[in-house]
Amino acid sequence: AQKVTQAQTEISVVEKEDVTLDCVYETRDTTYYLFWYKQPPSGELVFLIRRNSFDEQNEISGRYSWNFQKSTSSFNFTITASQVVDSAVYFCALSASNTGNQFYFGTGTSLTVIP
Amino acid sequence: DADVTQTPRNRITKTGKRIMLECSQTKGHDRMYWYRQDPGLGLRLIYYSFDVKDINKGEISDGYSVSRQAQAKFSLSLESAIPNQTALYFCATSDFSTGGSYEQYFGPGTRLTVT
C-alpha cells in the first residue's frame, strides 16, 4: 500500500525564520516518485518539485530546499528565511509504478508566516 | 490562457440533482484525473484516464461517473448529488513516458456545494 504522512497539520513561524515541513512515505515499490505542491489561499495547486527514488541528492531552489532520505522514508521541505507569501498549504505526494503511477497525497501542512 | 480549465468554478445545487463538472486542457497530455479535496483529508482520487479509451476508478469513485470525450476533455458527473459531496474538485493532467512518472498539473478547482 502507498501512504504519505504529513504529521504537522499547522505551523506558524515569524517572517525570516526557517521552517521544515515533514513528509514520510510508505511504499513497497522500488521505483517511485515524490512530489511537493503548494496551495496558496487563492486555492490553486502549484507544482514545486519531483524526485525519483534513484536520486537521493538534495535539491535547492532559491529559498527552498528538499532533503530526500530513503533510509527514513522521508522527503522533507525546508523554507529558509520565510516570507509572508510562503503562507499556504503544502502537500507531499507519492507515485509508484506498481499502482499505475497514481498519486497519493498527504493531508497537507498549513503554514502561516507572521509578519 | 490557463493550460487546464474547469467549469463551472462555483456551483450550488440541491440534493438529488445531476451535475456535471467539465475539464479541458491544452497541454497535450494523455493522462487526466479528477480529485476532491476536503478539509483535513488532502486530495483523494475519484477517477483517472490514461487515454480516451481508458477509464479507471480511484479511491472514492462511488457516486461519481466520468466521460473522456477527447484527449483534451474529461468530465465528472454526480448522478444524484448528496450533501457529503460538497467539496473542492480538481482536475489534473500529466504527461508520461516509459519508466517515468511526471508531475500532475492542476486546474483552478470547482467549489461544489450540495444543499
Side-chain angles (χ1 to χ4, degrees):
Chain A
Q2 325 293 332
K3 185 179 179 181
V4 175
T5 300
Q6 295 180 256
Q8 303 153 307
T9 305
E10 296 181 357
I11 300 176
S12 292
V13 298
V14 177
E15 198 171 22
K16 298 184 182 179
E17 288 184 344
D18 299 346
V19 59
T20 296
L21 309 182
D22 297 333
C23 173
V24 174
Y25 63 92
E26 296 177 28
T27 180
R28 293 184 178 180
D29 206 333
T30 56
T31 302
Y32 55 89
Y33 298 80
L34 296 164
F35 305 81
W36 276 95
Y37 284 83
K38 174 182 180 180
Q39 187 177 40
S42 53
E44 73 271 24
L45 284 153
V46 179
F47 164 72
L48 295 178
I49 189 171
R50 175 189 65 185
R51 179 61 83 221
N52 72 52
S53 53
F54 301 109
D55 183 2
E56 281 193 79
Q57 284 189 341
N58 292 332
E59 180 150 342
I60 298 175
S61 176
R63 297 184 296 106
Y64 295 172
S65 62
W66 291 269
N67 184 339
F68 176 27
Q69 292 195 338
K70 292 177 73 171
S71 61
T72 56
S73 297
S74 65
F75 186 43
N76 295 337
F77 174 27
T78 297
I79 301 174
T80 302
S82 59
Q83 300 176 2
V84 172
V85 293
D86 296 326
S87 296
V89 180
Y90 291 87
F91 291 97
C92 180
L94 165 70
S95 172
S97 60
N98 70 351
T99 52
N101 295 109
Q102 293 182 51
F103 270 42
Y104 295 85
F105 283 85
T107 53
T109 297
S110 178
L111 173 66
T112 300
V113 181
I114 303 166
Chain B
D1 288 340
D3 294 321
V4 184
T5 58
Q6 292 182 233
T7 56
R9 293 293 312 279
N10 289 281
R11 180 71 181 268
I12 300 173
T13 191
K14 293 184 182 297
T15 298
K17 293 291 187 182
R18 183 179 189 275
I19 183 170
M20 179 182 288
L21 309 183
E22 299 186 346
C23 176
S24 295
Q25 53 112 348
T26 58
K27 298 186 77 67
H29 291 167
D30 287 328
R31 298 187 166 197
M32 298 187 74
Y33 309 80
W34 276 104
Y35 292 89
R36 66 177 279 175
Q37 183 180 12
D38 299 277
L41 295 179
L43 281 84
R44 294 181 291 165
L45 183 63
I46 306 172
Y47 271 95
Y48 60 103
S49 170
F50 285 173
D51 63 43
V52 175
K53 297 181 180 179
D54 179 80
I55 302 289
N56 304 280
K57 292 183 177 181
E59 179 186 354
I60 53 165
S61 60
D62 288 348
Y64 302 95
S65 62
V66 290
S67 173
R68 185 80 184 267
Q69 301 96 323
Q71 185 206 34
K73 296 184 181 297
F74 192 36
S75 300
L76 175 71
S77 294
L78 286 67
E79 298 301 326
S80 180
I82 55 176
N84 78 358
Q85 290 178 314
T86 294
L88 183 57
Y89 290 84
F90 284 101
C91 174
T93 73
S94 71
D95 199 355
F96 184 80
S97 65
T98 301
S101 178
Y102 284 17
E103 55 273 18
Q104 295 185 8
Y105 294 90
F106 287 81
T110 294
R111 188 165 296 282
L112 177 66
T113 303
V114 183
T115 62

